[in-house]
Amino acid sequence: MQENILNQLNKVFKIKGQVKSPLRIKVVADKDIVSSILLYLKAQMGFIHLNHISCVDWIEDNKFELVYIVWHPEQKQTVLVHTFIDRENPVMENIDTIWDQANTYEREMREMFGIEFPGLVGDREFILEDWQEMPPMRRDFDTKRYAQETYETRPGRENARNVRLEIMKRSGEELPDFAKKYSRD
Amino acid sequence: MIEKETTLYLGPQHPGITGNMMIKLKVKGDVVTQAETHVGYLHRAFEKLIERRNWLQSFTLLCRFCVPEPDPMELTYARAVEQIEGREVPPRAKYIRTIVAELARIQSFLLWYGGQSGSSGLYTLGQWSVGDRNYILDLFEDLTGARIYHMYMWPGGVRRDLPTGWIDKTYKTMDYLEKRLEDYNKLLFENAIFQKRAQGVGIIPKDKAIEWGVVGPPLRGTGIKHDVRIDEPYEAYADLDFEVPTYEGGDVWARALVRRDEIKQSIRIIRQALDKMPSGSYYNRIPNPMKWTVPTGEAWIKTESVRGEIGFYVVSDGSSKPRRVHLKGAAYTHGVSVLEKILPGQNIADVSFILNSLGVCPPEIER
């Protein structure tokens, strides 16, 4: 069954996929034909359920990897369609005309990774309101710096005193060295 | 019919769900004409923070993705890491995990009973079911040391073995719960108010359900038999005998009936798993967690949670920290696109009611 799916995709789109496990098929495709593959999978091959759209930031290669996961309700097969887009100018075709719920994923990716989807219905923000900084799920977004600049330090905690030592002094008990006690080495 | 359209903001705090989520409704009189989901009140950047933690530290964040049911998150992530790494899980651990997953299912259903009855004004049942839920939390406390967030199912197995006497205590709790289900039935399903409120409300069409991304009890409430435990059996489910209840109609009533029957099936699964509990090791020990690296790879793992199928897309770049951990919860589609489609035409008073029956969990949408 998995071979049939791969052969059919190869015949129509000239792409090679691989069988990852008995219920998983992985396909890597060029970004221009991804929406055609997804439409074909849905309309012609019965993969009518969109499971997930994920994005991985490969900052070393200057690429974003987009993963579209679709599922076939009768054959119980899952196809993962991978594609890579440029990280500097991230634009990807909008697929919310194929599946309505893709709109939610794309709005989230626009905010979190800064990927543009031309023609995406709904300009409204999804999670982050009035966000001015770099899209936060990018690897180079510095969470610590942002937190330090945005939020105030709680008073009374600047000097990083050792609380354990203080407890020991007051109670007179000796506290065990936890790191040593539970170490496996 | 009133022709003037008004905007009504439902939320962020309202009785429909556990968590904060706002629904912007356009209403004519008390009939909804348009609905728009607004989230953003609970974004805690867990997926970002996980990228800065090692594979084991992630568990403290993972279980907080969805408050009413943390266990499926741990289980799915642990299975994803195991698949990337190729780590074997001992049979005893598989059975213990199955029992914990089903106990988590029952406790979440009991919490749902409270929400569903509360949103229709029947507060008594909520008091009872949340009280009974504590007996399951007691079992969790004995087993894992914690009541809600357990961090118990780790890559390679479970963190501790079953304590002495735990199996007997679980049998007793199951017997007690089975008797209580009769009372719940009388109080909710034989109640004329609930029947009138639930029947024919919030209908999901059967022919569109899969395409819309509906999963779990809402999907089974339209008569489609889909359950990850059957389609892609994990842990010990392949060895155990259970049924997947389905009902026709696709309304709140059908979804409630599915959930009622699923508690019975969960009790059945737990009893079988306790009967068949294999002996042996419960944990295939991982190396020192601070130095532990997972080989390069990716995994897409699905689990049947209470609200439906949840999945984790996990990517490893061969380092000691995950490259990407991305959750797809059932609420991600149920709470946004599905809800926006089924609310028009409904009554304002039914909005919370429908939200609860879809099992929407806002922290899971934003993460």
Side-chain angles (χ1 to χ4, degrees):
Chain A
M1 191 192 288
Q2 289 180 308
E3 288 304 315
N4 289 348
I5 295 166
L6 282 175
N7 287 342
Q8 206 170 335
L9 285 175
N10 191 15
K11 213 168 105 187
V12 181
F13 296 102
K14 306 276 178 289
I15 47 166
K16 278 202 177 136
Q18 65 183 113
V19 175
K20 299 286 279 183
S21 70
L23 290 170
R24 299 280 184 279
I25 294 170
K26 180 181 173 178
V27 173
V28 183
D30 198 60
K31 78 167 210 181
D32 299 331
I33 56 167
V34 164
S35 62
S36 320
I37 294 175
L38 292 172
L39 186 59
Y40 186 79
L41 281 167
K42 185 189 177 190
Q44 303 292 327
M45 294 175 72
F47 287 83
I48 55 170
H49 181 90
L50 176 74
N51 265 119
H52 196 37
I53 306 176
S54 189
C55 178
V56 188
D57 183 0
W58 297 104
I59 188 169
E60 309 92 322
D61 309 333
N62 208 13
K63 291 258 190 293
F64 282 130
E65 182 183 12
L66 291 178
V67 188
Y68 295 84
I69 304 173
V70 290
W71 180 74
H72 195 302
E74 276 103 45
Q75 296 174 2
K76 316 290 180 198
Q77 287 288 343
T78 302
V79 175
L80 292 94
V81 183
H82 293 242
T83 188
F84 291 90
I85 60 171
D86 184 22
R87 197 170 175 278
E88 296 303 318
N89 181 25
V91 183
M92 185 65 200
E93 205 169 331
N94 168 27
I95 62 152
D96 76 351
T97 44
I98 308 176
W99 282 283
D100 284 350
Q101 66 268 32
N103 187 291
T104 321
Y105 292 95
E106 289 174 354
R107 270 162 60 205
E108 187 180 332
M109 276 192 277
R110 181 168 63 187
E111 275 174 19
M112 295 295 175
F113 290 94
I115 302 172
E116 283 304 321
F117 296 91
L120 181 61
V121 183
D123 278 340
R124 62 203 157 105
E125 289 150 321
F126 185 55
I127 292 170
L128 307 171
E129 273 183 17
D130 303 325
W131 183 259
Q132 307 291 337
E133 307 263 331
M134 170 198 291
M137 279 302 283
R138 289 187 175 214
R139 295 287 288 192
D140 44 356
F141 176 73
D142 191 344
T143 327
K144 196 176 170 188
R145 185 193 57 77
Y146 176 77
Q148 279 168 345
E149 283 174 6
T150 317
Y151 306 109
E152 287 172 15
T153 321
R154 205 161 38 163
R157 292 292 297 272
E158 291 98 335
N159 56 3
R161 264 187 312 183
N162 190 338
V163 186
R164 284 193 192 285
L165 279 178
E166 198 63 31
I167 295 170
M168 220 162 80
K169 228 183 272 171
R170 286 186 191 192
S171 65
E173 284 174 43
E174 200 153 306
L175 287 170
D177 185 352
F178 291 106
K180 205 172 165 187
K181 191 178 171 189
Y182 294 107
S183 166
R184 288 199 195 140
D185 300 325
Chain B
M1 181 77 186
I2 300 166
E3 281 307 311
K4 190 175 175 265
E5 202 170 57
T6 327
T7 308
L8 181 76
Y9 292 90
L10 190 88
Q13 277 85 16
H14 54 89
I17 36 174
T18 43
N20 312 107
M21 183 173 109
M22 194 251 285
I23 305 159
K24 189 179 168 189
L25 300 169
K26 292 263 171 68
V27 291
K28 275 183 183 172
D30 64 350
V31 179
V32 177
T33 52
Q34 196 196 336
E36 221 175 73
T37 305
H38 286 254
V39 293
Y41 303 94
L42 284 167
H43 179 62
R44 295 154 293 172
F46 280 167
E47 286 174 358
K48 180 77 183 171
L49 294 172
I50 284 173
E51 290 176 10
R52 309 284 161 100
R53 273 152 184 78
N54 71 33
W55 289 94
L56 210 53
Q57 282 172 331
S58 313
F59 276 92
T60 51
L61 298 170
L62 278 166
C63 56
R64 286 165 171 86
F65 272 142
C66 180
V67 183
E69 50 158 353
D71 297 277
M73 307 288 167
E74 295 173 19
L75 178 60
T76 321
Y77 175 74
R79 283 173 57 221
V81 177
E82 281 153 12
Q83 197 192 73
I84 298 174
E85 215 195 0
R87 183 173 291 276
E88 288 289 316
V89 180
R92 187 178 173 84
K94 287 190 175 177
Y95 273 79
I96 298 176
R97 280 178 174 192
T98 310
I99 293 170
V100 173
E102 290 305 317
L103 284 174
R105 193 180 307 278
I106 297 176
Q107 67 87 9
S108 187
F109 276 144
L110 292 176
L111 206 59
W112 162 83
Y113 261 121
Q116 189 74 83
S117 58
S119 57
S120 54
L122 306 164
Y123 293 105
T124 315
L125 181 57
Q127 312 285 346
W128 289 11
S129 67
V130 173
D132 287 339
R133 174 175 172 261
N134 276 303
Y135 292 114
I136 296 189
L137 300 187
D138 286 346
L139 290 175
F140 279 141
E141 196 175 355
D142 291 352
L143 183 64
T144 69
R147 291 176 81 81
I148 306 290
Y149 301 120
H150 311 129
M151 292 157 253
Y152 178 65
M153 295 182 263
W154 279 3
V158 293
R159 194 155 45 85
R160 290 184 201 172
D161 204 356
L162 300 179
T164 323
W166 193 82
I167 290 184
D168 289 336
K169 197 174 172 184
T170 312
Y171 275 124
K172 275 181 200 157
T173 312
M174 290 303 114
D175 292 344
Y176 168 77
L177 273 178
E178 202 166 35
K179 272 186 220 143
R180 287 292 276 180
L181 290 181
E182 296 294 315
D183 299 339
Y184 293 171
N185 202 22
K186 278 182 199 152
L187 209 56
L188 189 69
F189 292 94
E190 291 177 16
N191 188 318
I193 296 172
F194 184 71
Q195 287 182 6
K196 271 216 136 153
R197 284 289 302 274
Q199 285 167 358
V201 168
I203 295 175
I204 296 174
K206 187 178 180 177
D207 54 335
K208 290 279 177 202
I210 293 181
E211 201 182 321
W212 283 6
V214 181
V215 286
L219 183 63
R220 294 192 281 276
T222 65
I224 297 169
K225 204 170 183 174
H226 163 54
D227 192 313
V228 185
R229 292 175 290 175
I230 300 277
D231 295 342
E232 294 182 21
Y234 50 94
E235 305 310 333
Y237 287 111
D239 306 343
L240 306 173
D241 182 32
F242 63 100
E243 282 156 26
V244 177
T246 56
Y247 282 91
E248 296 287 333
D251 52 359
V252 175
W253 176 249
R255 298 198 272 276
L257 290 172
V258 167
R259 288 189 172 99
R260 181 190 69 177
D261 291 5
E262 278 191 15
I263 300 184
K264 285 182 196 157
Q265 295 299 325
S266 292
I267 293 174
R268 196 173 150 195
I269 293 171
I270 290 169
R271 282 192 180 134
Q272 285 177 56
L274 288 169
D275 290 342
K276 290 184 182 175
M277 179 64 72
S279 55
S281 162
Y282 60 94
Y283 188 24
N284 179 3
R285 193 170 273 281
I286 55 167
N288 183 343
M290 292 304 177
K291 297 169 190 162
W292 179 36
T293 56
V294 172
T296 312
E298 61 190 357
W300 164 247
I301 295 287
K302 294 193 290 185
T303 300
E304 188 69 27
S305 81
V306 176
R307 287 152 295 109
E309 169 195 301
I310 61 158
F312 265 102
Y313 183 68
V314 179
V315 182
S316 170
D317 53 6
S319 70
S320 61
K321 290 168 185 156
R323 184 71 186 213
R324 179 89 163 106
V325 176
H326 193 178
L327 166 76
K328 192 266 161 167
Y332 199 77
T333 44
H334 288 180
V336 188
S337 57
V338 174
L339 190 72
E340 287 174 0
K341 285 193 189 89
I342 66 171
L343 279 188
Q346 303 291 335
N347 217 300
I348 296 172
D350 287 336
V351 174
S352 305
F353 199 56
I354 293 168
L355 255 176
N356 210 297
S357 82
L358 287 174
V360 176
C361 180
E364 191 184 71
I365 302 176
E366 303 164 44
R367 310 178 302 277

